[in-house]
Amino acid sequence: MKSKAATLLLGVTLLLTDICSTAVFTFSDQGRKHPANQKSNFLPEKAQSQIENCQNGGVYNGIMCVCTDLFYGSLCESFIDRVPPVRAFNTSAQVQIKIDKEYSQNLSDPQTPEYKEFEQVFKKEMRLVYSNVPGYQDVEILDVCCSCAADRPTWAVLMGHKPGRLICIRSCRHRNCSNSIVTTYEVIAQVILKKHVNLSEEHKMIVGQVWTDMTKAVTDNCTGSLCISDISVMMSTEPPSMSEICQSLIPYGFREFFSPLLTPEGLYCLSYCEPLSSNYQNCNGGKCEIKKDIGPRCFCPNTDQYMYISGTCTGKILKSGLYGGICVLVIIIITGAFFLYKAKRSGHKIDSPEDNEETFVKRGISNPSSQLENREQFENKETGDL
């Protein structure tokens, strides 16, 4: 029995050893035998059968997806980590002024020669008026309407088409007008985006200078070809933050995973996969990609030979070593269980009659069976006498 159990244990141990050796050899040699697979595992797997389903504006040319400048990947599914820098940003203020000029309905139609002539003169004169505005670029006429002779013009804010845009609400638009027109326009100035610039402060400075220059123009009354008699209204809106500027440049599904960075070269919008980002996702040697609606995702290298305990490619474990260790542990557990089982059986072993006789002989009892019978008869006799 002992030899059979030992033989069985030896067979199981040899079988497990052979299986473990095969597994360890397979995993350790896999990368060396298949270098092409080793390279493809560094990047996310693509469904080659669906490569013609280009995403994000990519165009399939019969061979591959040709992506736009902001996307890459076999399906154009990944967004670049660094958007080209924004070097300047246009801020604006809206102004309404009254000009001493006879109104004509043609001045309200941008397609007429009369409007185009007025626009050309107006832009030229405003460039002179706003010569002190930092970064001044141009003015855009938003509306031209007549000025009622009876009362002061009333104005409203047009919501929806252009946030904060002012338009003229004229009860006298189709009545007789005075010899003056009211022009609503937007002053456009450029702020250079560089390190430590405060866009909000720059905007306030520009708006303040616009007001100062226009007040002076009203005081002087006439500026060349135009005579300005009044400032009706002036308004401005707060410029966007740096984060909002970045979000305006990046499509939905990706913009949530980008952060701004002001540098001497301009404003960069960096993904969380970019090391300079304030929310950098470190993949510890793996490849980081921004996935739509998911965010940064790490693709770890050499996954045919290693496994990782985290999604950021940390805790690298050699597969062959892991599986070999598991096999050794299984062998130890089986062997230990076998010897424990044998020890328990030996502790509960019941002596056979032959073993009992041997014990009596060793104690000097020549015929243990007859002596046992005589002892029983003697005990029975004493019991009967009683």
Side-chain angles (χ1 to χ4, degrees), residues 250-261:
I250 302 170
Y252 286 104
F254 296 95
R255 62 180 55 174
E256 300 89 347
F257 312 109
F258 279 75
S259 58
L261 178 66

Side-chain angles (χ1 to χ4, degrees), residues 136-156:
Y136 176 82
Q137 298 294 303
D138 199 3
V139 293
E140 178 187 354
I141 297 177
L142 304 178
D143 194 13
V144 178
C145 63
C146 68
S147 176
C148 296
D151 50 17
R152 186 178 180 85
T154 56
W155 301 88

Side-chain angles (χ1 to χ4, degrees), residues 57-85:
V59 179
Y60 185 65
N61 63 2
I63 300 176
M64 59 183 292
C65 290
V66 180
C67 307
T68 61
D69 293 339
L70 298 179
F71 291 90
Y72 69 96
S74 61
L75 299 177
C76 305
E77 74 283 0
S78 298
F79 198 81
I80 61 176
D81 293 331
R82 179 181 294 196
V83 177

Side-chain angles (χ1 to χ4, degrees), residues 236 244 257:
S236 67
E244 290 171 339
F257 312 109

Side-chain angles (χ1 to χ4, degrees), residues 285-303:
K287 182 174 178 59
C288 181
E289 289 187 11
I290 299 295
K291 293 300 180 182
K292 188 174 183 179
D293 299 320
I294 298 175
R297 182 181 174 190
C298 294
F299 295 92
C300 305
N302 303 323
T303 53

